[in-house]
Amino acid sequence: MAFRDELTGLPSRRDLNERMMGLGRKYTIAMCDVDHFKQFNDTHGHDLGDQVLKMVAAKLAEVSGGGTAYRYGGEEFTVLFPGREAAQTLPHLEALRASVESYKIAVRAPDRPEKPEPATRRRGSFREANPVSVTISIGVAERSAALATPEDVIKAADKALYRAKSNGRNRVSK
Ligand code: GH3
Ligand code: MG
Ligand code: MG
């Protein structure tokens, strides 16, 4: 239905599907997934999880190297690079990965702390001293004779993403 994802403002999977129909013979697809995001939600709450997805989406939207980012679903995103070989996209994806890793997320202090805070410290103020961060893993694949359709390339990028996860996460794998 919607071409734009409500939470992140990124174009949606439907838009990606339309775009994939008109691709030429050369393109690269990256599948990006937030690391240990279930644990993040469990620790910090779903609302902060949503803020994290917005932050990650904002970084993805600004990816360099001619890529366009889409929300594929949940905490998974796709970056499409028309006319690019995978090797050309790697520095841009690495910069994206590093940018997410270095982003510090302020955690709101609990509304009712066990120990009352000094009056000077306002309720709900941000605890800048203890920021948290997230990382993403990225799998990359390019169109080739063996991977002739966008579906083939997405599957290969997913396999590369799986390798990025099993090799320790917070990395780009080809
Ligand atoms: P991995 O590093 O292997 O990717 O682990 P993971 O925990 O990120 O993977 P898993 O697939 O187990 O969990 C994905 C989590 O993403 C679970 C789900 O609650 C969360 N999630 C998906 N969509 C949203 C969303 O829109 N908002 C929030 N806050 N969480 C979401
Ligand atoms: Mg996932
Ligand atoms: Mg994940």
Side-chain angles (χ1 to χ4, degrees):
M1 208 176 69
F3 278 81
R4 227 154 248 287
D5 171 61
E6 222 172 89
L7 177 72
T8 64
L10 287 182
S12 64
R13 188 164 175 174
R14 174 172 169 173
D15 198 18
L16 173 66
N17 287 337
E18 297 242 319
R19 182 97 182 274
M20 287 195 308
M21 292 193 292
L23 287 170
R25 290 170 56 83
K26 194 203 278 184
Y27 57 90
T28 289
I29 292 178
M31 297 299 285
C32 313
D33 185 292
V34 181
D35 295 329
H36 297 305
F37 198 47
K38 189 183 179 304
Q39 184 61 57
F40 186 95
N41 277 317
D42 289 349
T43 306
H44 302 289
H46 198 265
D47 286 353
L48 194 64
D50 279 359
Q51 296 309 309
V52 165
L53 290 183
K54 284 190 195 180
M55 178 277 287
V56 170
K59 302 263 182 212
L60 279 152
E62 287 174 5
V63 68
S64 50
T68 305
Y70 301 81
R71 189 174 186 196
Y72 192 74
E75 30 85 79
E76 292 176 25
F77 301 87
T78 306
V79 185
L80 176 60
F81 294 91
R84 299 287 199 280
E85 289 165 11
Q88 295 175 282
T89 71
L90 292 179
H92 304 284
L93 293 168
E94 172 55 24
L96 172 69
R97 182 208 61 72
S99 166
V100 171
E101 180 184 26
S102 63
Y103 191 90
K104 300 281 179 283
I105 303 149
V107 178
R108 189 183 278 277
D111 278 351
R112 269 167 294 173
E114 282 174 31
K115 236 196 294 176
E117 294 187 35
T120 48
R121 186 94 187 264
R122 265 173 314 164
R123 193 177 129 100
S125 64
F126 284 89
R127 194 187 281 163
E128 304 283 2
N130 194 22
V132 296
S133 58
V134 294
T135 58
I136 57 171
S137 295
I138 303 177
V140 192
E142 67 192 1
R143 192 250 168 217
S144 65
L147 305 173
T149 70
E151 291 71 29
D152 293 337
V153 180
I154 284 189
K155 266 187 210 160
D158 252 330
K159 283 186 187 159
L161 172 61
Y162 182 81
R163 288 193 291 276
K165 294 281 184 184
S166 38
N167 288 335
R169 294 176 171 78
N170 189 24
R171 66 195 62 215
V172 182
S173 286
K174 220 185 104 177

